[in-house]
Amino acid sequence: MKLAVAVMLAASAHAAAAQPVRDDLNPRDLGRVRAVTAPTRDFSQPEKFEVMQAGAATTNKLLNADIFSHPSANLDFEGRQQFQVGNGLFRKDWVSAPSSTQASDGLGPLFNARSCQGCHTKDGRGSVPGFDPLERADTVALLLRLAVPGGPDRGRAELAPGEIAALPEPVYGVQLQNFAVAGLPAEGRMEIEYEPVPVALNGGETATLMKPVYRIENLGYGPMRADTQLSPRLAPPMIGLGLLEAIHEADILANVGADKRDGIVGKPNWVVDARTGKRVLGRFNLKAGQPSVEQQSASAFSNDMGLSTPLFPRHSGECTAAQAACLDMPHGAQPHLGEHEVPARLMDFVSFYSSNLAVPARRDAGDPRVLAGKKLFYEANCVACHVPKYVTSRNARQPEHRFQLIWPYTDMLLHDMGDGLADGVSDGQATGRDWRTPPLWGIGLTRSVNPTATWLHDGRARTLLEAVLWHGGEAQAARDRVVAMTPEERADLIRFLESL
């Protein structure tokens, strides 16, 4: 069942020849970068520097539950100080206004979490409720985005050029907030039921996937539109974000249409930069709807905690015009601290922290079974979307992120993942079937950090194999090759993923 790797290499080489030019490199350096990032042909041993997944920023700290919480290894003393301050802000609980703790009030009035760390458990993946039908869905790490269809007179002009991500539900906005400050009702409570879906595998094995069905109970502000689409979003890991931002745009765009063998094309999501008002390449969140670590962080402060920032200065967060009492609640901005609940200086610390959480080094990269799994990963054409490596831009904003050979295993593009994973919610150019290819670095340490963590955008996959088996759309052919593998080959493939 194995495919010739040479076919994939030829397609990749053709794409590399046609890729947009990097403006940060001279011709000689460009040739060197293309050579070092070309797909490997040798699966008998690890590639040079492969163990250092994040280049000089890679951490070699002891593997324990804090492995995702270390600073980039190449930060200087001043950078480590900034990181520690940002860490404190990332972890701190915000409270409602007015409060005696004036530097920490302004939460809500509607919110999903009191802190950044509340969703990103130890800077890793969040948890979803267990798959026990009697267990309530009261986790803070999983939230529901809301959207309603557009029409001839509603939102068409804004949606067409990507000016807004999606049309909000008129009463409840773009996100369901399941908590509220004292004196206000929460917007509602998410409930999940799981339906088992058996999948027959080669070798006589059967995997059972768990298909989630979502509903909202205890609506606090009246009926919700019947055609509202629900998009569950689980908090992803935080490691390596600054390096992903440092990948040159030309290298990301070079992945568009780079491998048409399996109908894999990929597309960028062009979004509005809140700082400049210009349309730029989206890189972050599950549908590449945010262009930078700063804007992603500010959006989370606004939508998840109801806190104003310089990029999103609205004090009332996600309160809509239909929630008058919410709009009338006091805010936490203090005149002596600035006009925002999270002033620019604090925002800078949080952004710096989020940009410099270190990626751990690879484990067991030279193990024969891991190398066999890596070969299978290439042969199944998983690398068409999970592009292994890049050399970051010489012009990256932060010196520590410049010109680093990194191994994130993502193309940073949107892909149609099929009906099974579709949520029906658009986000700029992302349709209801599109998701950004998630980076795989650190995936093997997910449960070292959070023992109850699960995978995919809504946590439905209890194992890495289940995550693969949910792939459809552009990834259907790769998924089918995994199904056709022998049990021993599938075990080797998972060993490889667990080594990342």
Side-chain angles (χ1 to χ4, degrees), residues 423-482:
D423 63 354
V425 175
S426 64
D427 193 337
Q429 282 75 53
T431 71
R433 293 165 58 98
D434 289 335
W435 298 96
R436 185 199 69 155
T437 305
L440 297 183
W441 52 10
I443 196 169
L445 295 172
T446 300
R447 284 192 169 153
S448 297
V449 175
N450 179 5
T452 63
T454 49
W455 290 273
L456 292 182
H457 67 278
D458 57 0
R460 69 177 69 187
R462 298 165 295 176
T463 66
L464 291 177
L465 179 59
E466 286 185 24
V468 173
L469 296 177
W470 272 111
H471 284 48
E474 294 179 42
Q476 183 70 42
R479 176 261 189 203
D480 291 347
R481 292 181 190 117
V482 175

Coordinates of all heavy atoms in Angstrom, one line a residue, residues 423-482:
D423 N -18.4 22.8 10.7 CA -19.2 23.4 11.7 C -20.2 24.4 11.1 O -21.1 25.0 11.8 CB -18.4 24.2 12.8 CG -17.5 25.3 12.2 OD1 -17.6 25.4 10.9 OD2 -16.9 26.0 12.9
G424 N -20.1 24.7 9.8 CA -21.1 25.6 9.2 C -20.8 27.0 9.4 O -21.5 27.9 8.9
V425 N -19.7 27.4 10.1 CA -19.4 28.8 10.5 C -18.3 29.3 9.6 O -17.2 28.7 9.6 CB -19.1 28.9 12.0 CG1 -18.7 30.3 12.3 CG2 -20.3 28.5 12.8
S426 N -18.5 30.4 9.0 CA -17.5 31.0 8.2 C -16.6 32.0 9.1 O -17.1 32.4 10.1 CB -18.1 31.9 7.0 OG -18.8 32.9 7.5
D427 N -15.4 32.2 8.6 CA -14.5 33.1 9.4 C -13.6 33.7 8.3 O -12.6 33.2 7.9 CB -13.7 32.3 10.4 CG -13.0 33.2 11.4 OD1 -12.8 34.4 11.1 OD2 -12.7 32.7 12.5
G428 N -14.0 34.9 7.8 CA -13.3 35.5 6.7 C -13.4 34.6 5.4 O -14.5 34.3 5.0
Q429 N -12.3 34.2 4.8 CA -12.4 33.3 3.7 C -12.6 31.8 4.1 O -12.8 30.9 3.2 CB -11.1 33.4 2.9 CG -11.0 34.6 2.0 CD -10.7 35.8 2.8 OE1 -9.8 35.9 3.5 NE2 -11.6 36.9 2.6
A430 N -12.5 31.5 5.4 CA -12.8 30.1 5.8 C -14.2 29.8 5.8 O -15.1 30.5 6.3 CB -12.2 30.0 7.3
T431 N -14.6 28.7 5.1 CA -16.0 28.3 5.1 C -16.3 27.4 6.3 O -15.4 27.2 7.1 CB -16.2 27.5 3.8 OG1 -15.6 26.2 3.9 CG2 -15.7 28.2 2.6
G432 N -17.5 26.9 6.3 CA -17.9 26.0 7.4 C -17.2 24.7 7.4 O -17.4 23.9 8.4
R433 N -16.5 24.4 6.3 CA -15.8 23.1 6.3 C -14.3 23.3 6.4 O -13.5 22.3 6.3 CB -16.1 22.4 4.9 CG -17.5 22.0 4.7 CD -17.9 21.6 3.3 NE -17.0 20.6 2.7 CZ -17.3 19.3 2.6 NH1 -18.5 18.9 3.0 NH2 -16.4 18.5 2.0
D434 N -13.8 24.5 6.5 CA -12.4 24.8 6.5 C -11.8 24.9 7.9 O -12.4 25.5 8.8 CB -12.1 26.1 5.8 CG -12.3 26.0 4.3 OD1 -12.3 24.9 3.7 OD2 -12.6 27.1 3.7
W435 N -10.6 24.4 8.1 CA -9.8 24.5 9.3 C -8.4 24.7 8.9 O -7.9 24.2 7.9 CB -10.0 23.3 10.2 CG -11.4 23.0 10.6 CD1 -12.2 22.1 10.0 CD2 -12.1 23.6 11.7 NE1 -13.5 22.2 10.7 CE2 -13.4 23.0 11.7 CE3 -11.7 24.5 12.7 CZ2 -14.3 23.4 12.6 CZ3 -12.7 24.9 13.6 CH2 -14.0 24.3 13.6
R436 N -7.7 25.5 9.8 CA -6.2 25.7 9.6 C -5.5 24.4 10.0 O -5.9 23.8 11.0 CB -5.8 26.9 10.4 CG -4.3 27.2 10.2 CD -3.7 28.0 11.3 NE -3.6 27.3 12.5 CZ -2.7 27.5 13.5 NH1 -1.9 28.6 13.4 NH2 -2.7 26.8 14.6
T437 N -4.5 24.1 9.3 CA -3.7 22.9 9.6 C -3.0 23.2 11.0 O -2.2 24.1 11.1 CB -2.6 22.6 8.6 OG1 -3.2 22.4 7.3 CG2 -1.8 21.4 8.9
P438 N -3.3 22.4 12.0 CA -2.6 22.7 13.3 C -1.2 22.3 13.3 O -0.9 21.2 12.8 CB -3.5 21.9 14.3 CG -4.0 20.8 13.5 CD -4.2 21.3 12.1
P439 N -0.3 23.0 14.0 CA 1.1 22.5 14.1 C 1.1 21.2 15.0 O 0.3 21.1 15.9 CB 1.8 23.7 14.9 CG 0.9 24.9 14.7 CD -0.5 24.3 14.6
L440 N 2.0 20.4 14.7 CA 2.1 19.1 15.4 C 3.3 19.1 16.5 O 3.3 18.1 17.3 CB 2.3 17.9 14.4 CG 1.2 17.7 13.4 CD1 1.5 16.5 12.6 CD2 -0.1 17.5 14.2
W441 N 4.1 20.1 16.4 CA 5.2 20.0 17.4 C 4.7 20.0 18.8 O 3.8 20.7 19.2 CB 6.3 21.1 17.2 CG 5.8 22.6 17.1 CD1 4.5 23.1 17.4 CD2 6.6 23.7 16.7 NE1 4.5 24.4 17.2 CE2 5.7 24.8 16.8 CE3 7.9 23.9 16.3 CZ2 6.1 26.1 16.4 CZ3 8.3 25.1 15.9 CH2 7.5 26.2 16.0
G442 N 5.3 19.2 19.6 CA 4.8 19.0 21.0 C 3.6 18.1 21.2 O 3.2 17.9 22.4
I443 N 3.0 17.6 20.1 CA 1.8 16.8 20.3 C 2.0 15.6 21.1 O 1.0 15.1 21.8 CB 1.2 16.5 18.9 CG1 -0.3 16.1 19.0 CG2 2.0 15.4 18.2 CD1 -1.0 16.0 17.7
G444 N 3.2 15.0 21.1 CA 3.4 13.8 21.9 C 3.5 14.0 23.4 O 3.4 13.1 24.2
L445 N 3.6 15.3 23.8 CA 3.6 15.6 25.2 C 2.3 16.2 25.7 O 2.3 16.7 26.9 CB 4.8 16.6 25.5 CG 6.2 16.1 25.2 CD1 7.2 17.2 25.2 CD2 6.5 15.0 26.1
T446 N 1.3 16.1 24.9 CA 0.0 16.8 25.3 C -0.5 16.3 26.6 O -0.9 17.1 27.5 CB -1.0 16.4 24.2 OG1 -0.6 17.0 23.0 CG2 -2.4 17.0 24.6
R447 N -0.4 15.0 26.9 CA -1.0 14.4 28.1 C 0.0 14.5 29.2 O -0.3 14.2 30.4 CB -1.6 13.1 27.9 CG -2.9 13.1 27.2 CD -3.6 11.8 27.2 NE -5.0 12.0 26.7 CZ -5.7 11.1 26.1 NH1 -5.2 9.9 25.9 NH2 -7.0 11.3 25.7
S448 N 1.3 14.7 28.9 CA 2.2 15.0 30.0 C 1.9 16.3 30.7 O 2.1 16.5 31.9 CB 3.7 15.1 29.5 OG 4.1 13.8 28.9
V449 N 1.4 17.3 29.9 CA 1.0 18.6 30.4 C -0.4 18.5 31.0 O -0.7 19.1 32.1 CB 1.1 19.6 29.3 CG1 0.6 21.0 29.8 CG2 2.5 19.7 28.8
N450 N -1.4 17.9 30.3 CA -2.7 17.8 30.8 C -3.2 16.4 30.6 O -3.6 16.0 29.4 CB -3.6 18.8 30.0 CG -5.1 18.8 30.4 OD1 -5.4 18.1 31.4 ND2 -5.9 19.5 29.7
P451 N -3.3 15.6 31.6 CA -3.7 14.2 31.5 C -5.0 13.9 30.9 O -5.3 12.9 30.3 CB -3.6 13.6 32.9 CG -2.6 14.6 33.6 CD -2.9 15.9 33.0
T452 N -5.9 14.9 30.9 CA -7.3 14.7 30.4 C -7.5 15.4 29.1 O -8.6 15.4 28.6 CB -8.3 15.3 31.4 OG1 -8.1 16.7 31.6 CG2 -8.2 14.6 32.8
A453 N -6.4 15.9 28.4 CA -6.5 16.5 27.2 C -7.0 15.5 26.1 O -6.6 14.4 26.1 CB -5.2 17.2 26.8
T454 N -7.7 16.1 25.1 CA -8.0 15.3 23.9 C -7.7 16.2 22.7 O -7.3 17.3 22.8 CB -9.5 14.9 23.9 OG1 -10.3 16.0 24.2 CG2 -9.8 13.8 24.9
W455 N -8.0 15.7 21.5 CA -7.5 16.4 20.3 C -8.6 16.8 19.3 O -9.8 16.5 19.5 CB -6.5 15.4 19.5 CG -5.2 15.2 20.3 CD1 -4.1 16.0 20.2 CD2 -4.9 14.2 21.2 NE1 -3.1 15.5 21.1 CE2 -3.6 14.4 21.7 CE3 -5.7 13.1 21.7 CZ2 -3.0 13.6 22.6 CZ3 -5.1 12.3 22.7 CH2 -3.7 12.6 23.1
L456 N -8.2 17.5 18.3 CA -9.0 18.2 17.3 C -9.6 19.5 17.8 O -9.5 19.8 19.0 CB -10.1 17.3 16.7 CG -9.6 16.1 15.9 CD1 -10.7 15.3 15.3 CD2 -8.7 16.6 14.7
H457 N -10.3 20.2 17.0 CA -10.8 21.6 17.3 C -11.8 21.6 18.4 O -11.9 22.6 19.1 CB -11.4 22.2 16.1 CG -12.7 21.6 15.6 ND1 -12.7 20.5 14.9 CD2 -14.0 21.9 15.9 CE1 -14.0 20.2 14.6 NE2 -14.8 21.0 15.2
D458 N -12.5 20.5 18.7 CA -13.4 20.4 19.8 C -13.2 19.3 20.8 O -14.0 19.0 21.6 CB -14.9 20.3 19.2 CG -15.0 19.1 18.4 OD1 -14.1 18.3 18.2 OD2 -16.2 18.9 17.8
G459 N -12.0 18.7 20.7 CA -11.6 17.7 21.7 C -12.3 16.4 21.5 O -12.3 15.5 22.4
R460 N -12.9 16.1 20.4 CA -13.7 14.9 20.2 C -12.8 13.6 20.1 O -13.3 12.5 20.3 CB -14.6 15.0 19.0 CG -13.8 14.9 17.7 CD -14.7 15.0 16.5 NE -15.4 16.2 16.3 CZ -16.4 16.4 15.4 NH1 -16.7 15.4 14.6 NH2 -17.0 17.6 15.3
A461 N -11.5 13.8 19.7 CA -10.7 12.7 19.5 C -9.9 12.3 20.8 O -9.2 13.1 21.3 CB -9.6 13.0 18.4
R462 N -10.2 11.1 21.3 CA -9.6 10.7 22.5 C -8.2 10.1 22.4 O -7.4 10.0 23.3 CB -10.4 9.6 23.2 CG -11.8 10.1 23.6 CD -12.8 8.9 23.9 NE -13.0 8.1 22.7 CZ -13.7 6.9 22.7 NH1 -14.2 6.5 23.8 NH2 -13.8 6.3 21.5
T463 N -7.8 9.8 21.1 CA -6.5 9.3 20.8 C -6.0 10.0 19.5 O -6.8 10.5 18.8 CB -6.4 7.8 20.6 OG1 -7.2 7.5 19.4 CG2 -7.0 7.1 21.8
L464 N -4.7 9.9 19.3 CA -4.2 10.5 18.0 C -4.7 9.7 16.8 O -4.9 10.3 15.8 CB -2.6 10.4 18.0 CG -2.0 11.4 19.0 CD1 -0.4 11.2 19.0 CD2 -2.3 12.8 18.7
L465 N -4.9 8.4 16.9 CA -5.5 7.6 15.8 C -6.9 8.1 15.5 O -7.3 8.3 14.4 CB -5.5 6.2 16.1 CG -6.1 5.3 15.0 CD1 -5.3 5.4 13.7 CD2 -6.1 3.8 15.5
E466 N -7.7 8.4 16.6 CA -9.0 8.9 16.3 C -9.0 10.2 15.6 O -9.8 10.5 14.7 CB -9.8 9.1 17.7 CG -10.3 7.8 18.3 CD -11.1 8.0 19.5 OE1 -11.7 9.1 19.7 OE2 -11.2 7.1 20.4
A467 N -8.0 11.1 16.0 CA -7.9 12.4 15.3 C -7.6 12.2 13.8 O -8.2 12.9 13.0 CB -6.7 13.2 15.9
V468 N -6.8 11.2 13.4 CA -6.5 10.9 12.0 C -7.7 10.4 11.3 O -8.1 10.9 10.2 CB -5.4 9.9 11.9 CG1 -5.2 9.5 10.5 CG2 -4.0 10.5 12.5
L469 N -8.5 9.6 12.0 CA -9.7 9.0 11.4 C -10.8 9.9 11.1 O -11.7 9.7 10.3 CB -10.1 7.8 12.2 CG -9.1 6.6 12.3 CD1 -9.7 5.5 13.2 CD2 -8.8 6.0 10.9
W470 N -10.8 11.1 11.8 CA -11.8 12.1 11.6 C -11.5 12.9 10.3 O -12.4 13.7 9.9 CB -11.9 13.0 12.8 CG -12.9 12.5 13.8 CD1 -12.6 12.1 15.1 CD2 -14.3 12.5 13.7 NE1 -13.8 11.7 15.7 CE2 -14.8 12.0 14.9 CE3 -15.2 12.8 12.7 CZ2 -16.2 11.8 15.2 CZ3 -16.6 12.6 12.9 CH2 -17.1 12.1 14.1
H471 N -10.3 12.8 9.8 CA -10.0 13.6 8.6 C -10.8 13.2 7.4 O -11.0 12.0 7.1 CB -8.5 13.4 8.3 CG -7.5 14.1 9.1 ND1 -7.6 14.1 10.5 CD2 -6.4 14.9 8.9 CE1 -6.6 14.8 11.0 NE2 -5.9 15.3 10.1
G472 N -11.3 14.2 6.7 CA -12.1 14.0 5.5 C -11.7 15.1 4.5 O -10.7 15.8 4.6
G473 N -12.6 15.3 3.5 CA -12.3 16.3 2.5 C -11.0 16.2 1.8 O -10.7 15.1 1.3
E474 N -10.2 17.2 1.8 CA -8.9 17.2 1.2 C -7.9 16.1 1.8 O -7.0 15.7 1.2 CB -8.2 18.5 1.3 CG -8.9 19.6 0.5 CD -8.2 21.0 0.6 OE1 -7.0 21.0 0.6 OE2 -8.9 22.0 0.8
A475 N -8.2 15.8 3.1 CA -7.4 14.8 3.8 C -7.9 13.4 3.7 O -7.4 12.5 4.4 CB -7.2 15.2 5.3
Q476 N -9.0 13.1 2.9 CA -9.6 11.8 2.9 C -8.6 10.8 2.4 O -8.6 9.6 3.0 CB -10.8 11.9 2.0 CG -11.6 10.6 1.9 CD -12.3 10.3 3.2 OE1 -12.9 11.2 3.8 NE2 -12.3 9.0 3.7
A477 N -7.9 11.0 1.4 CA -7.0 10.0 0.8 C -5.9 9.6 1.8 O -5.6 8.4 2.0 CB -6.3 10.5 -0.5
A478 N -5.3 10.6 2.5 CA -4.3 10.3 3.5 C -4.9 9.5 4.6 O -4.3 8.5 5.1 CB -3.7 11.6 4.1
R479 N -6.1 9.8 5.1 CA -6.8 9.1 6.1 C -7.0 7.7 5.7 O -6.9 6.7 6.4 CB -8.1 9.8 6.4 CG -9.0 9.1 7.4 CD -10.1 8.3 6.7 NE -11.1 7.8 7.6 CZ -11.9 6.8 7.3 NH1 -11.8 6.2 6.1 NH2 -12.8 6.4 8.2
D480 N -7.5 7.5 4.4 CA -7.7 6.1 3.9 C -6.5 5.3 3.9 O -6.5 4.0 4.1 CB -8.4 6.2 2.6 CG -9.8 6.7 2.6 OD1 -10.4 6.8 3.7 OD2 -10.3 7.1 1.5
R481 N -5.3 5.9 3.6 CA -4.1 5.1 3.6 C -3.7 4.7 5.0 O -3.1 3.6 5.2 CB -2.9 6.0 3.0 CG -3.1 6.3 1.5 CD -2.0 7.1 1.0 NE -2.4 7.5 -0.4 CZ -2.5 8.8 -0.8 NH1 -2.3 9.8 0.1 NH2 -2.9 9.1 -2.0
V482 N -4.1 5.5 6.0 CA -3.8 5.0 7.4 C -4.7 3.9 7.7 O -4.3 2.9 8.4 CB -4.0 6.2 8.4 CG1 -3.9 5.7 9.8 CG2 -3.0 7.3 8.1

